Amino acid sequence: MSRYEVNSLLYRLKKDPEFRARFVTDPEAALAGADLTEAERAAFIARDMRKVNELGGYLHLVMSIPGLAAH
Amino acid sequence: MGRIVFGGAMSHVLDPDYYERACGSVGRQKVEAAMAEIARMGERCSARNPDALIVVADDHLNAFSFNAVPAICVRIGRYVQRMAQDHAEAFDKVLDHMPERYPLHEALANRILEVGLESGFDLALSWEAPVDHAFLSPVNTMHGTRPIPPLVPIWVNCFVAPQPTARRCFAFGRHIARVVAASPWSVGIIATGGLSHFPELSLPRVGETDTVFDRKLIHWMEEGEHEPLLELTVGELHKSGEHEFLNWMVLLGAVTPARADVRYFGELPRINLAAVEWRL
């Protein structure tokens, strides 16, 4: 199964517009409290959704986060 | 005595703009052709005046997220809401123009749930879960401006491992058939999603499909040979991008041994589009 933290974060980015805005403005600060590995954190900060998917992020989430979606 | 009066299955991102962006003009052409056939299926369904329309589909981590992911969930209550998504992208954008609220067939949903639990199906229930494009894109394409019958939305967990087996989904479909037969209602049932797309749910493989696998499934459905389908493993479905065929397995259980007629099949790099109707 995919890692919970990665997908929980993806879900929050999709469904919580305020959190998404904070992430877009300052991703490192937005992720400060998240329980991520260094590789996961780096992938999110780089907005590398291909890497996030490779690390266990569900495809339908990485393809549908407003403004951040991979296509 | 109740009866299933319509059975159909179809792809569920029915949006020419989406396919134009993903696959160019051929994408638009093919999804418009599929939608035309699905609209005709809807006309035939409406002509049989169903009291309810059961929609078997999957959640795309919209309704259930990670607080709970039910293997099979029956939506109960009197109404269901369309999923809300700000600045919707991709397949979520399909919902933008659709009505926001849909009446449910509360009594049929309750029977499927209650009799199911009595007979060994440990079903989940929801009063609040909204429905996404997997439900509403086919339902609205089928009905256009005609009234939509009261719905019974049923979710199958197609994506979050571990999923229910193909055999279990088929058995649940048999349960639905028994509930309908013991009821006073005429019922339509559709399953949505597929066919092959997004193998292994891997972003680098978006754009690949497994047409050989699709044609194998279609052959068995056309012939009414459902036994081989019971043997499908979740691993096979994952590798071939047939995750959503679990929804179709529920429908097959409800209509077996009926044979299927393919109304549309079109290959696209992103997804193989399909519309199939059963002879009832």
Side-chain angles (χ1 to χ4, degrees):
Chain A
M1 281 199 268
S2 303
R3 286 204 72 234
Y4 166 75
E5 288 291 342
V6 168
N7 285 296
S8 176
L9 182 55
L10 286 170
Y11 185 81
R12 195 172 171 203
L13 284 169
K14 178 170 180 178
K15 296 294 184 183
D16 182 343
E18 289 179 15
F19 179 68
R20 192 190 315 137
R22 279 201 288 131
F23 176 83
V24 168
T25 305
D26 187 346
E28 292 186 29
L31 300 184
D35 180 19
L36 299 169
T37 66
E38 285 310 307
E40 292 162 351
R41 191 175 302 275
F44 273 105
I45 289 171
R47 301 188 194 181
D48 183 350
M49 287 300 171
R50 186 171 288 239
K51 188 69 179 174
V52 170
N53 173 240
E54 187 185 314
L55 292 169
Y58 272 104
L59 182 64
H60 292 92
L61 289 176
V62 302
M63 291 180 75
S64 63
I65 297 172
L68 300 168
H71 296 290
Chain B
M1 181 171 162
R3 191 169 159 248
I4 293 176
V5 295
F6 180 86
M10 67 279 296
S11 305
H12 64 206
V13 179
L14 302 173
D15 179 358
D17 292 341
Y18 175 81
Y19 287 104
E20 174 98 34
R21 286 191 297 273
C23 308
S25 59
V26 67
R28 175 177 292 277
Q29 288 162 15
K30 288 197 175 184
V31 77
E32 284 178 347
M35 291 171 71
E37 288 297 335
I38 292 166
R40 281 190 273 275
M41 287 167 64
E43 288 169 10
R44 289 191 286 276
C45 180
S46 295
R48 295 168 200 172
N49 292 315
D51 298 301
L53 180 62
I54 298 171
V55 186
V56 185
D58 46 282
D59 183 43
H60 298 82
L61 299 168
N62 285 314
F64 296 115
S65 75
F66 299 94
N67 52 0
V69 180
I72 300 175
C73 179
V74 181
R75 181 62 158 79
I76 57 173
R78 296 176 63 195
Y79 296 94
V80 67
Q81 292 291 129
R82 187 188 77 183
M83 181 191 87
Q85 175 62 53
D86 70 293
H87 303 91
E89 289 214 17
F91 27 78
D92 293 337
K93 203 169 177 55
V94 179
L95 293 168
D96 277 354
H97 63 284
M98 294 180 186
E100 293 185 359
R101 195 166 89 141
Y102 301 78
L104 300 180
H105 199 293
E106 189 174 22
L108 176 57
N110 286 344
R111 284 201 193 180
I112 291 171
L113 178 66
E114 291 164 6
V115 179
L117 284 159
E118 287 165 9
S119 54
F121 292 94
D122 297 323
L123 304 168
L125 62 97
S126 172
W127 280 278
E128 292 186 352
V131 284
D132 69 9
H133 67 274
F135 294 84
L136 297 184
S137 192
V139 163
N140 280 289
T141 302
M142 284 177 69
H143 292 87
T145 56
R146 291 191 311 280
I148 295 170
L151 302 177
V152 179
I154 296 174
W155 287 270
V156 175
N157 171 25
C158 293
F159 292 119
V160 182
Q163 297 95 326
T165 63
R167 183 177 293 276
R168 187 61 170 163
C169 291
F170 187 88
F172 177 59
R174 299 299 304 134
H175 161 66
I176 290 174
R178 288 190 291 271
V179 168
V180 171
S183 81
W185 303 302
S186 296
V187 175
I189 179 168
I190 62 170
T192 86
L195 283 172
S196 175
H197 66 297
F198 300 174
E200 299 183 299
L201 301 178
S202 166
L203 196 53
R205 296 194 66 192
V206 169
E208 294 179 37
T209 56
D210 189 337
T211 302
V212 172
F213 205 99
D214 278 346
R215 294 209 181 277
K216 190 165 64 172
L217 299 179
I218 286 169
H219 169 74
W220 282 326
M221 292 189 288
E222 286 179 321
E223 295 300 316
E225 292 179 21
H226 298 157
E227 279 293 321
L229 296 167
L230 301 179
E231 304 300 328
L232 290 169
T233 67
V234 170
E236 281 178 287
L237 299 178
H238 184 59
K239 282 183 184 163
S240 55
E242 303 279 8
H243 306 83
E244 291 167 332
F245 197 71
L246 290 178
N247 301 326
W248 295 44
M249 288 302 300
V250 176
L251 169 83
L252 284 164
V255 301
T256 194
R259 292 180 176 217
D261 291 315
V262 176
R263 303 300 186 199
Y264 184 83
F265 181 77
E267 294 179 51
L268 279 177
R270 176 148 297 215
I271 182 172
N272 286 343
L273 296 166
V276 178
E277 187 172 340
W278 276 262
R279 299 177 204 170
L280 298 175

